[in-house]
Amino acid sequence: VQLQASGGGLVQSGDSLRLSCVASGRTFTGSAVGWFRQGTEKAREFVAAIDWSSGTLYTDSVKGRFTISRDTVKNEVYLQMNSLKPEDTSVYYCAIRHGTAVSEHYRYPYWGQGTQVTVSS
């Protein structure tokens, strides 16, 4: 399984970005995809996840601002990030697991490379 995350960039506070995660070698059938982020010298943090039945999970700090969605035809998962804040600055990673959406990073066996999101004040 290979995951490719993209869509990061440098934006200003209040702006929006949409991250994309494309999976190859495995479809999203029966799987959950999670987004995590890790800032410099910080622990990896759960952001959001979506499972096969479109059940979603968000960390409190992004509720109402971020939306996770998926396109089963394109085998892509998106993270729409609105009202971005400087504290959202991190490298964002997508990961996939078989089963339901969970927040623990160690329960996702497959990871993509990160995409940098930088929010200036």
Side-chain angles (χ1 to χ4, degrees), residues 49-94:
I50 187 168
D51 62 27
W52 175 244
S53 64
S54 294
T56 58
L57 196 62
Y58 295 93
T59 192
D60 286 346
S61 63
V62 308
K63 285 180 181 178
R65 299 189 299 124
F66 292 10
T67 303
I68 190 169
S69 62
R70 60 178 175 82
D71 185 325
T72 54
V73 174
K74 295 182 178 180
N75 225 29
E76 290 191 43
V77 170
Y78 309 103
L79 185 67
Q80 178 66 43
M81 305 186 296
N82 299 329
S83 303
L84 282 162
K85 304 175 181 180
E87 52 263 43
D88 295 317
T89 295
S90 284
V91 178
Y92 284 72
Y93 300 87
C94 61

